[in-house]
Amino acid sequence: MEKIIDETKQGQPLVLDQKKENQRKLFIESYGCQMNFSDSEIVASILAKEGFNTTQRLEDADLVLVNTCSIREKAEQTVRKRLEKYNAVKKINPKMKVGVLGCMAERLKSKFLEEEKIVDLVVGPDAYKDLPNLIEEVDAGRNAVNVILSKEETYGDISPVRLQSNGVSAFVSITRGCDNMCTFCVVPFTRGRERSRDPQSILEEIDDLVAQNFKEITLLGQNVDSYLWYGGGLKKDFDKASEFQKATAVNFAKLLDMVAAKHPKLRLRFTTSNPQDMTLDVIHVMAKHKNICKYIHLPIQSGSDRILKEMNRLHTRQEYFELIDNIKNIIPECAISQDIITGFPTETEEDHQDTLSLMEYVKYDYGFMFAYSERPGTLAERKMDDDIPEEVKKRRLSEIIEVQRKHSEYRHRAFIGQTLEVLIEKESKKSNAHWSGRTTQNTVAVFPKEEYKIGDFVMVRIDECTSATLLGEAIGYSDNN
Ligand code: SAH
Ligand code: F3S
C-alpha cells in the first residue's frame, strides 16, 4: 500500500490509501437526501482500498456509481435521465461499467438490470462492503446484485473519504433505517429497520474531523432523535435488552451532549427530527451548549389531525404546537423549518386550510414542500386511492409555497440590524468578491470578502435580506476562532 494524493477534487487534496497496482477511476454521484451523499463517501472509502481513484470527469471513468433516491417519482425519473447520459458516454468509453446504489437499487433490485441495459451492478444501502466482490463479478463479465438489508450494518468502522468537501462542514451518520412507517414513505422499505451506531465510533470520526480542521458537523439519520445505542441491535429490540444495557444506553440527547461538550468550538447540527421522537431533553441540551446550532428541521407534512392520522404520523396538531412552544420558550432564537406534503389521498380543502393555519402559527424560517407522489409498496399505495387531481395538488402546493415565502421574508427581516456569527463556507454563487456562510439559524449570509477566509467564524452585521439570503458586512472575527 502507498499513499497517493488525489488532486482531482476541488479543495484540499485527499490522501487515499491505495494499492499501487491496478489503479482505476471511479466517478460517483449522489441524488436525494444528505444520507446518500454521506454514504457515497463511505463507498469511495471502501473502493479507495481496492485501487479506485475518484474522478470528476464522467468520460474518464472505469466505474460509474450513482447513488439514487426513490422518495418521489420525479427523483427516480432524474436518475433514469442520468442513465441515458451514461449510455451516451459508454459509446465513447465502452469499458465503462455502471452501478446503481441507494434506494432505487433496493426498491427495484434485479429488475433494474432488465429495465436498464446500461446497468451492470445493483447494490442496496446496507451492502456497500460487498462492493469489492461485486465488482470482481462485473469484471468477470457477469452482472452483480446485492440488496440484502442488514440488522447491524452502520459502517461505523469505515472512515469516509470527504468527497468535494469545502473542508469546513461534514456529515456524520449516526442511525440508519427507519421504523416509523409513515404511510406515504418508501424509506422503511429501501433502508430497512432502524439501528444506531456505536457512540465511540461516532466520537472517533468527529475527533478525526476536528483534527482535519473541520468546523461544523451535521449528525445524520432518517429519524435522528430516535438514536439509541445499547450495545448494538435494532431499536425495536431494545425491550429485550439486559438491565445493564438499559442502564448504560445512550440516547440522542446524551450523544448530543457528549459531542458538544467534547468539542466546544465545533458547530453541531442534526437532521432529521420527527416531531414524535423529539424530547424536551434534546431541546435542553441544545440550550445548554452554545456550539449546538439553534435550528431544528421539524417536518409536519400536514396541519390536519385527520390527515396526520392517515399518514401514521404519531402526533396531533396540538402536540406539535406544544413542541413548538417548548422550543420557542427554551430557545427563543431557534429557527424551525418544515416539510409539507400537499394532496395526500382524501385531503379536503378544509384539511389544506388546517395546514395553512398551522403555518401561520409557526411562521417557519423556511421549508421543503412537495406534491404527494404515490410510491409503490407503501401503505398509502396499497390502501388508498391517489384521489387528489394533479392540478389540485399543484394549486395547494403553490399556496403553501407562497405562505412560506412570506414567512421566510418575515423571519429574515427580523435579523436586519443584528450582528450574527457566520461560518464562512464558500464563495458566493453570485459574486466572487463575496463570501457565503450560515448563521446558527442555518440562514445563508453573504458579505464582502475583505481579509477573511473559508473556515473563519466572523461577526456579520445584517443590513438587508431577500426571502432566502441575508446581506451584510463583516465587522470582525467571532470569539469562536
Ligand atoms: N424522516 C423525515 C422525512 C424523510 S423523507 C421525517 O421525519 O419526516 C423527506 C421528506 O420527503 C418528507 O418529510 C416528506 O415531506 C417528503 N416525502 C416523503 N415521501 C413522499 C411522497 N410519497 N410524496 C411526496 N413527498 C414525500
Ligand atoms: Fe419516512 Fe416517516 Fe421515516 S417520512 S423516513 S417513514 S419518519
Side-chain angles (χ1 to χ4, degrees):
M1 301 282 263
E2 72 166 10
K3 298 268 184 199
I4 304 249
I5 309 280
D6 176 4
E7 288 175 309
T8 56
K9 282 163 224 76
Q10 294 153 351
Q12 291 162 319
L14 282 166
V15 180
L16 307 177
D17 279 333
Q18 295 186 314
K19 285 178 191 158
K20 194 174 177 186
E21 72 281 9
N22 190 28
Q23 274 204 17
R24 294 198 275 179
K25 288 207 165 67
L26 164 69
F27 178 90
I28 183 162
E29 60 181 349
S30 313
Y31 292 88
C33 65
Q34 286 148 329
M35 185 73 87
N36 265 2
F37 286 78
S38 170
D39 281 359
S40 292
E41 298 187 333
I42 287 165
V43 168
S45 171
I46 293 169
L47 291 185
K49 298 212 168 58
E50 299 300 309
F52 280 92
N53 213 344
T54 54
T55 173
Q56 303 282 316
R57 280 174 47 88
L58 177 58
E59 294 75 10
D60 293 346
D62 299 296
L63 176 64
V64 175
L65 295 177
V66 56
N67 205 340
T68 61
C69 174
S70 287
I71 201 84
R72 284 168 289 277
E73 199 186 339
K74 206 164 152 236
E76 294 205 350
Q77 282 162 359
T78 308
V79 169
R80 303 260 187 194
K81 282 245 164 61
R82 233 10 226 160
L83 294 175
E84 283 171 24
K85 168 79 184 170
Y86 300 164
N87 227 338
V89 173
K90 189 158 177 155
K91 293 206 173 91
I92 329 165
N93 178 8
K95 69 177 190 325
M96 180 178 110
K97 302 287 181 199
V98 173
V100 182
L101 314 177
C103 289
M104 268 176 96
E106 193 62 48
R107 195 177 84 67
L108 292 161
K109 304 186 168 60
S110 54
K111 258 203 294 190
F112 230 128
L113 299 172
E114 295 153 29
E115 288 178 17
E116 302 280 354
K117 291 283 167 269
I118 179 89
V119 175
D120 306 292
L121 179 69
V122 180
V123 192
D126 287 346
Y128 298 146
K129 280 190 185 157
D130 196 26
L131 267 164
N133 301 324
L134 298 167
I135 290 169
E136 249 174 51
E137 283 291 298
V138 170
D139 286 343
R142 294 182 285 269
N143 289 331
V145 179
N146 186 344
V147 289
I148 295 169
L149 288 171
S150 162
K151 289 181 179 167
E152 281 107 32
E153 187 59 88
T154 59
Y155 302 112
D157 54 335
I158 292 179
S159 167
V161 167
R162 304 290 162 186
L163 295 167
Q164 297 189 44
S165 166
N166 57 5
V168 177
S169 44
F171 296 119
V172 173
S173 294
I174 66 162
T175 72
R176 299 185 73 83
C178 185
D179 285 349
N180 277 340
M181 296 304 261
C182 302
T183 56
F184 54 81
C185 185
V186 78
V187 170
F189 303 95
T190 58
R191 289 200 164 257
R193 302 309 299 252
E194 191 178 309
R195 61 225 108 109
S196 295
R197 179 176 164 193
D198 182 347
Q200 204 47 46
S201 82
I202 297 172
L203 286 168
E204 280 164 17
E205 184 174 339
I206 294 172
D207 290 349
D208 192 44
L209 287 165
V210 171
Q212 291 175 55
N213 223 8
F214 278 84
K215 301 293 170 70
E216 179 185 288
I217 65 134
T218 303
L219 303 175
L220 281 186
Q222 300 302 333
N223 187 15
V224 82
D225 292 66
S226 160
Y227 175 87
L228 185 65
W229 173 259
Y230 60 97
L234 293 177
K235 165 99 183 219
K236 73 175 179 63
D237 295 332
F238 180 61
D239 288 349
K240 295 180 218 145
S242 69
E243 285 314 309
F244 175 77
Q245 282 176 317
K246 283 184 181 158
T248 53
V250 178
N251 65 12
F252 183 57
K254 210 160 163 185
L255 179 77
L256 202 56
D257 196 30
M258 276 177 355
V259 177
K262 189 161 187 207
H263 297 289
K265 287 194 178 278
L266 179 71
R267 260 193 183 185
L268 273 181
R269 300 186 185 278
F270 56 89
T271 198
T272 299
S273 297
N274 186 315
Q276 73 208 36
D277 294 305
M278 179 154 219
T279 61
L280 270 179
D281 284 351
V282 169
I283 304 167
H284 284 297
V285 170
M286 286 179 76
K288 176 174 146 194
H289 295 279
K290 193 169 162 243
N291 57 330
I292 303 180
C293 290
K294 304 301 181 263
Y295 163 61
I296 304 173
H297 181 52
L298 203 57
I300 177 67
Q301 319 297 0
S302 168
S304 150
D305 272 332
R306 191 183 64 82
I307 296 290
L308 285 172
K309 205 157 181 205
E310 293 287 1
M311 289 176 160
N312 195 32
R313 301 289 285 187
L314 302 177
H315 62 84
T316 61
R317 174 185 169 96
Q318 189 51 38
E319 283 162 346
Y320 188 80
F321 285 152
E322 282 160 22
L323 181 58
I324 297 285
D325 292 348
N326 280 325
I327 294 168
K328 294 281 180 181
N329 286 333
I330 299 167
I331 317 169
E333 75 276 28
C334 194
I336 299 172
S337 61
Q338 45 85 350
D339 287 348
I340 289 174
I341 298 174
T342 62
F344 184 79
T346 75
E347 186 188 67
T348 62
E349 278 313 307
E350 203 185 330
D351 295 320
H352 172 57
Q353 290 304 324
D354 284 348
T355 301
L356 291 169
S357 71
L358 179 137
M359 292 176 80
E360 285 301 337
Y361 183 86
V362 183
K363 295 195 172 57
Y364 294 98
D365 291 68
Y366 39 93
F368 305 88
M369 295 145 283
F370 317 95
Y372 173 67
S373 164
E374 187 178 74
R375 305 314 294 132
T378 57
L379 243 93
E381 186 258 347
R382 283 181 280 151
K383 300 261 154 61
M384 302 177 93
D385 272 346
D386 184 6
D387 60 353
I388 309 299
E390 218 45 43
E391 63 274 15
V392 176
K393 286 182 188 172
K394 291 268 155 59
R395 193 252 306 148
R396 290 178 187 165
L397 179 62
S398 59
E399 286 174 18
I400 279 174
I401 290 172
E402 179 48 28
V403 169
Q404 185 52 57
R405 199 198 51 74
K406 196 180 76 189
H407 289 160
S408 296
E409 197 174 320
Y410 164 80
R411 290 290 181 198
H412 289 173
R413 278 206 178 284
F415 292 122
I416 294 178
Q418 292 189 32
T419 300
L420 306 172
E421 184 186 75
V422 174
L423 171 59
I424 302 179
E425 284 168 72
K426 56 188 176 204
E427 199 165 80
S428 157
K429 271 194 213 118
K430 291 192 180 142
S431 148
N432 60 12
H434 288 73
W435 289 129
S436 167
R438 279 172 298 154
T439 66
T440 182
Q441 284 93 357
N442 208 34
T443 316
V444 174
V446 168
F447 54 93
K449 281 184 174 173
E450 298 179 77
E451 75 271 26
Y452 305 106
K453 56 184 193 313
I454 290 178
D456 285 344
F457 286 97
V458 288
M459 299 308 295
V460 177
R461 191 195 61 232
I462 308 301
D463 300 323
E464 286 174 69
C465 74
T466 69
S467 64
T469 312
L470 304 175
L471 309 169
E473 203 172 312
I475 58 158
Y477 290 100
S478 98
D479 57 12
N480 202 39
N481 283 295

